Amino acid sequence: QVQLVESGGGLVQAGDSLRLSCVASGSTYGGGWFRQAPGKEREFVAAINWSGRETLYLDSVEGRFTISRDIAKKMVYLQMHTLRPEDTAIYYCAAGPRVSRIPGAYLYWGQGTQVTVSS
């Protein structure tokens, strides 16, 4: 059974960095990160395939965020730099068979971790 658990969220100031981690026990899939701000729909942030050779990013985070994975540790990471107040959201880790921007393409989801960026 696949279980995803996120960690690493917190309260930071604009311009700061933060690294989110997701332990994907039981998963042999690629990973993705989504986020949801209050009153908004869940939004794709980044995705990576199983081997780590294919990645995909939301335009507004490309160059600031980096997704990576450690296959041996079953971990997926999201390194976030130059954070902005508009990055404030609950960040969710997801696992699925292919790299996709579509939430429905993912089979498993974590509970989320809050990221708050103050101005």
Side-chain angles (χ1 to χ4, degrees):
Q1 184 171 350
V2 176
Q3 289 188 321
L4 307 179
V5 179
E6 306 95 335
S7 62
L11 172 63
V12 297
Q13 293 186 331
D16 284 352
S17 298
L18 205 58
R19 188 177 82 156
L20 305 183
S21 300
C22 172
V23 56
S25 57
S27 175
T28 58
Y29 297 127
W33 287 95
F34 288 75
R35 66 188 182 187
Q36 189 165 17
K40 294 188 177 181
E41 294 187 352
R42 192 165 294 192
E43 176 184 52
F44 167 78
V45 177
I48 190 167
N49 72 340
W50 171 250
S51 69
R53 295 192 182 101
E54 181 183 1
T55 58
L56 191 63
Y57 292 96
L58 175 69
D59 286 349
S60 64
V61 308
E62 187 142 24
R64 299 189 296 124
F65 292 9
T66 302
I67 190 169
S68 62
R69 69 174 302 131
D70 184 323
I71 295 174
K73 295 182 179 178
K74 301 278 190 181
M75 298 293 294
V76 180
Y77 304 100
L78 185 68
Q79 178 67 56
M80 305 184 291
H81 294 297
T82 321
L83 282 161
R84 305 168 180 168
E86 54 264 38
D87 294 318
T88 295
I90 299 174
Y91 283 69
Y92 297 90
C93 177
R98 59 187 178 96
V99 172
S100 175
R101 300 176 185 271
I102 303 171
Y106 294 83
L107 303 178
Y108 303 97
W109 292 84
Q111 294 299 306
T113 185
Q114 176 72 48
V115 172
T116 303
V117 184
S118 64
S119 57

